[in-house]
Amino acid sequence: MATESVHTVAEDLMKAAKMEKCYENYILIDVGANLTNKKYGRDLDSVVQRAKDSGVQKIMVTGTSVKASKEALRLTRIYPGTLYSTAGIHPHDAKSYDEESWQELCRIVQNTECVAVGECGLDYNRNFSNPEDQKAVFEKHIKLAIEHNKPLFVHERDAFSDLSEILDKYANKLPPVLVHCFTGSVENALAYLQKGYYIGLTGYLCKDKSDTGVRKLLVDNLIPLDRLVVETDAPFMYPNTRASKLPTNVKEGLTERSMTFLHRYCTFQRNEPCSLPAIVEMIAAFMDKKPEEVALASSFNAMKLFGLT
């Protein structure tokens, strides 16, 4: 009996060692975090360090306005090789477009640390800006991305048809396209994938309760690993791993270390890039794949898509 007990303990220790090694081998890139948000105003150094400690090697800081894009670019100079930026006007703010600020955005895009044009696109869920204004500003982003041959960082919410129609007009000229923070249907995702676009997934998969959404996309393995990138969309999209309808196998796929980072440093009010390991582990569990496989594939895709070094 004692021998059996020792054997069990030894097995447990070996499993723990393998799990630790597996975790240490994660290579993670967060392709979308809003680090210019005022919620990080007092401790950004700690936020970036925690991200690194959790395995996140690089973070793309999302530009959602001219002001935020300028600040995102400034942050890349403070954390070179770790932070990269995007530059764009969120569809919510399309109504505030003016030519002078647009010219400033164009200058920001020319910097090498700015690796994508956006966040841009269409959002008919809230319609904070008139749809016609949104479409006009979105087209300007597309032309800017084509001009500088930089990827498009696209936001789409309840606007699949119009957004697809606009992108199709430039199909032969388009640079790579990332549909960031995807929350749509399997049907929409498959249409995007067919066009060669990349899909960005976040902690939203904890919220998804539909039979035709993100979870279905993963469970049925409908999203190829070479088209998947991962992001936290911090401080938003907190991955609620305690959600009641999260399947048991997904909860069991979460490692103690990823949970430590998530529960110690992240909240519903302020998500952080260090939650990315938990997101990757959940994606892997839904897909019935190893988390290190998902981590490596998504990071390779991010490096290739945005030309990160």
Side-chain angles (χ1 to χ4, degrees), residues 5-305:
S5 177
V6 170
H7 181 65
T8 303
V9 171
E11 279 187 338
D12 288 345
L13 287 171
M14 284 177 67
K15 284 179 182 176
K18 283 181 181 177
M19 184 63 76
E20 183 72 9
K21 185 174 185 301
C22 166
Y23 184 87
E24 287 174 354
N25 285 338
Y26 285 176
I27 298 171
L28 301 167
I29 295 177
D30 187 346
V31 302
N34 300 281
L35 296 186
T36 63
N37 190 286
K38 61 184 179 182
K39 291 183 178 181
Y40 304 116
R42 294 185 177 183
D43 65 341
L44 187 59
D45 279 343
S46 298
V47 171
V48 172
Q49 188 58 54
R50 277 195 287 274
K52 288 184 176 181
D53 293 343
S54 76
V56 179
Q57 310 291 317
K58 298 175 186 294
I59 304 168
M60 286 174 55
V61 184
T62 315
T64 54
S65 66
V66 176
K67 182 181 177 182
S69 299
K70 194 174 181 179
E71 175 63 10
L73 180 63
R74 187 184 76 84
L75 292 179
T76 69
R77 310 281 168 73
I78 299 173
Y79 304 94
T82 300
L83 300 190
Y84 298 81
S85 71
T86 75
I89 299 171
H90 194 285
H92 286 340
D93 296 322
K95 61 179 178 286
S96 63
Y97 169 88
D98 65 71
E99 192 58 35
E100 185 180 346
S101 61
W102 179 256
Q103 290 308 315
E104 187 175 0
L105 190 79
C106 292
R107 289 191 289 272
I108 294 170
V109 168
Q110 293 174 35
N111 289 270
T112 54
E113 300 93 339
C114 177
V115 294
V117 173
E119 183 170 0
C120 60
L122 304 177
D123 191 314
Y124 294 172
N125 182 264
R126 297 181 182 177
N127 274 333
F128 287 151
S129 287
N130 181 286
E132 292 308 312
D133 290 340
Q134 291 188 44
K135 287 191 274 189
V137 174
F138 180 40
E139 285 210 50
K140 292 189 77 71
H141 282 86
I142 295 171
K143 291 172 183 176
L144 184 63
I146 292 170
E147 180 186 348
H148 293 284
N149 194 29
K150 291 194 174 183
L152 267 172
F153 192 87
V154 172
H155 172 104
E156 181 263 307
R157 194 67 49 86
D158 296 344
F160 171 79
S161 295
D162 280 1
L163 185 126
S164 296
E165 186 178 328
I166 292 170
L167 286 171
D168 285 347
K169 285 167 59 176
Y170 300 90
N172 297 328
K173 302 176 183 177
L174 277 179
V177 174
L178 163 62
V179 182
H180 132 85
C181 191
F182 181 77
T183 58
S185 67
V186 167
E187 184 182 1
N188 291 356
L190 292 176
Y192 285 140
L193 290 166
Q194 191 173 16
K195 296 174 194 289
Y197 302 168
Y198 290 82
I199 301 289
L201 296 184
T202 66
Y204 172 79
L205 53 87
C206 294
K207 291 183 180 180
D208 179 37
K209 297 182 178 70
S210 73
D211 296 326
T212 58
V214 175
R215 292 188 187 183
K216 177 76 171 171
L217 193 65
L218 296 175
V219 170
D220 290 355
N221 270 277
L222 297 173
I223 178 168
L225 279 183
D226 65 357
R227 279 290 174 269
L228 171 67
V229 291
V230 292
E231 52 183 324
T232 58
D233 201 29
F236 315 111
M237 292 295 170
Y238 172 79
N240 181 19
T241 57
R242 296 184 173 118
S244 59
K245 293 195 175 181
L246 205 61
T248 302
N249 70 302
V250 174
K251 290 184 177 181
E252 289 175 348
L254 294 161
T255 62
E256 185 178 345
R257 191 164 178 181
S258 71
M259 289 297 89
T260 299
F261 279 104
L262 178 65
H263 295 145
R264 185 175 293 174
Y265 303 115
C266 306
T267 66
F268 282 98
Q269 287 72 39
R270 196 183 89 150
N271 190 22
E272 287 191 19
C274 70
S275 70
L276 198 61
I279 294 168
V280 166
E281 286 171 355
M282 284 189 287
I283 290 171
F286 275 116
M287 297 182 84
D288 195 23
K289 295 185 184 297
K290 293 180 179 178
E292 61 266 30
E293 183 183 2
V294 174
L296 190 62
S298 62
S299 296
F300 177 80
N301 295 339
M303 297 284 284
K304 177 183 172 185
L305 175 59

